[in-house]
Amino acid sequence: MNPVLIAPSLLAADLARLADAAAEVVAAGADTLHVDVMDGRFVPNLTFGPGTVAALRAATDAPLDVHLMIEAPERWIDAYADAGATGLTVHVEATPHVHRALRAVRDRGLEVGVALNPGTPLTALEPVLDLVDLVLLMSVDPGFGGQRYLPAVEGRLRAVRGWIAERGAATRVQVDGGIDATTAPRAVAAGADALVAGSAVFGATDGVAAALARLRQAVVSSIRPM
Ligand code: DX5
Ligand code: ZN
């Protein structure tokens, strides 16, 4: 089994000092930085663009896991690749051309991710499961940090983990939304091996290092499915 990766979501950081926030979580042992790109159409919020990703790339050597919550993401793959993203995750709901979008990510040599909203049937994943390095199952409807974890993701995590195990593949399964020291072990026990956490990390009153340690400690003891 893969070790569990922790990806702090910079959406919950102080946006006026993103580079400092990135450096702080990397120093505290974050495995990757999660960058939430929103276009005000696919989700009801606006956040970062390629310029922000390029600025982060210049500020840190850490992997940049870019979550594209934008319509027709195939239009923007080159821009985010040029900006220095390490991986790009696109939503199946955001394009009628999901293979084209995923192939564009692969062609740029980046890690390929596909994401599903909580209400999207898992059957939408089947046609593309063999084409991706990472499956992102949302545990909130995307658009904002600080929302409540939807436990129905756990059955979905189990199903996807089972499909990946049947294939003998190394595909990662990432969970995003409402992850903290209480929900993280549940998601990991259900099959997640990559955790996105925004407010639980940057909103912690005792600091990001303590928050990351709490998350790690919480998942160390969770029972991993085989
Ligand atoms: C939600 C984003 C998440 C968000 C998570 O639309 O995709 O990555 O930042 O934030 P928390 O951990 O606060 O739910
Ligand atoms: Zn995200």
Side-chain angles (χ1 to χ4, degrees):
M1 254 326 189
N2 297 320
V4 176
L5 299 184
I6 300 184
S9 165
L10 292 171
L11 182 61
D14 178 348
L15 300 183
R17 46 178 293 274
L18 266 190
D20 294 343
E24 211 179 346
V25 287
V26 170
D31 297 293
T32 174
L33 297 168
H34 186 80
V35 184
D36 285 307
V37 172
M38 306 187 186
D39 66 352
R41 293 180 67 92
F42 181 66
V43 290
N45 196 3
L46 272 170
T47 57
F48 313 125
T52 315
V53 173
L56 284 166
R57 179 75 296 153
T60 177
D61 292 331
L64 298 175
D65 159 34
V66 178
H67 178 191
L68 295 176
M69 287 161 278
I70 63 177
E71 280 184 7
E74 59 275 11
R75 297 171 301 159
W76 288 95
I77 303 305
D78 281 330
Y80 286 97
D82 290 345
T86 307
L88 291 175
T89 297
V90 303
H91 273 261
V92 293
E93 307 88 355
T95 175
H97 309 295
V98 69
H99 289 83
R100 180 175 296 149
L102 296 174
R103 195 172 318 115
V105 179
R106 181 71 71 201
D107 286 349
R108 290 298 307 257
L110 306 187
E111 286 172 26
V112 184
V114 68
L116 274 74
N117 286 338
T120 302
L122 286 184
T123 49
L125 180 61
E126 284 180 303
V128 295
L129 185 55
D130 293 323
L131 307 177
V132 300
D133 304 306
L134 175 136
V135 174
L136 167 50
L137 294 183
M138 292 301 307
S139 38
V140 297
D141 278 314
F144 304 95
Q147 301 185 81
R148 196 150 52 103
Y149 174 82
L150 298 171
V153 75
E154 290 163 21
R156 293 160 63 78
L157 287 166
R158 282 191 190 87
V160 172
R161 176 54 66 198
W163 294 347
I164 291 167
E166 277 168 23
R167 288 163 158 80
T171 316
R172 280 200 177 272
V173 183
Q174 188 179 53
V175 64
D176 184 3
I179 295 297
D180 59 21
T182 305
T183 54
R186 293 170 53 173
V188 169
D193 59 8
L195 305 172
V196 177
S199 36
V201 172
F202 291 105
T205 50
D206 53 353
V208 300
L212 283 171
R214 244 189 323 274
L215 277 174
R216 284 226 184 275
Q217 185 55 39
V219 301
V220 154
S221 51
S222 39
I223 300 148
R224 307 296 317 289
M226 294 310 289

